[in-house]
């Protein structure tokens, strides 16, 4: 898990991308009542990923967040109040299953927007092989799932640095 301090530059980049998206699409693509905060959490995670790994480029296609050579990467972020632990869940809503992407990067962003954690990466294929589907209405402890979603623990995600090393080696062989 990689901890990223959210600098003023990262915050400004996220605000700019958030505004561009809102001007183009309004509140589409968000699930919660606090849509501005939710979308900003996502853009902060993306800005932290881009700042930490500049070789991962923002995509020109609004349907996917990043490109790494010819591989597409979708960023999935959640807000939090403290550092996430390895047994916390990487979550993907069921309706997002059909998104055309090769990999997912999962992150958490502290609700005060001061810090983020890049929790790891996984291929779309592997995610759906190992993640568990929680149907809407499922009750766990004090929580009831409002939408069906897939979950797996952060400890099951791949390390970002090892992924980039592997991806770069693969691309050397292909080139």
């Amino acid at each position: 898990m990689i901890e990223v301090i959210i600098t003023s530059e990262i915050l400004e980049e996220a605000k700019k991308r958030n505004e561009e998206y809102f001007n183009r699409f309004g509140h589409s693509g968000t699930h919660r009542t606090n849509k501005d905060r939710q979308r900003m959490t996502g853009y902060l995670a993306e800005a932290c990923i881009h700042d930490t790994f500049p070789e991962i480029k923002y995509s020109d296609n609004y349907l996917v967040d990043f490109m790494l050579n010819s591989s597409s990467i979708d960023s999935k972020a959640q807000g939090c109040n403290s550092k996430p632990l390895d047994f916390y869940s990487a979550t993907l809503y069921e309706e997002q299953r059909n998104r055309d992407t090769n990999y997912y990067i999962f992150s958490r962003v502290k609700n005060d927007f001061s810090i983020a954690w890049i929790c790891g990466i996984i291929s779309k294929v592997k995610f759906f092989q190992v993640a568990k589907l929680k149907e809407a209405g499922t009750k766990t402890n004090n929580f009831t799932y409002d939408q069906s979603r897939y979950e797996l623990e952060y400890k099951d995600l791949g390390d970002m640095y090892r992924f980039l090393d592997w991806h770069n080696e693969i691309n050397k062989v292909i080139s």
Side-chain angles (χ1 to χ4, degrees), residues 39-84:
R39 199 173 47 249
M40 191 62 187
T41 296
Y43 281 116
L44 277 169
E46 290 174 21
C48 289
I49 292 164
H50 186 259
D51 187 70
T52 306
F53 303 103
E55 65 271 37
I56 299 176
K57 305 295 185 199
Y58 288 123
S59 173
D60 292 332
N61 179 346
Y62 70 90
L63 295 174
V64 67
D65 298 318
F66 295 107
M67 294 299 296
L68 179 62
N69 300 315
S70 62
S71 296
S72 58
I73 303 171
D74 205 16
S75 172
K76 297 293 163 202
Q78 291 177 276
C80 62
N81 290 314
S82 61
K83 181 179 179 176

Side-chain angles (χ1 to χ4, degrees), residues 108-119:
R108 292 274 179 136
V109 176
K110 197 164 181 189
N111 288 330
D112 67 3
F113 296 160
S114 63
I115 192 165
W117 295 270
I118 303 169
C119 302

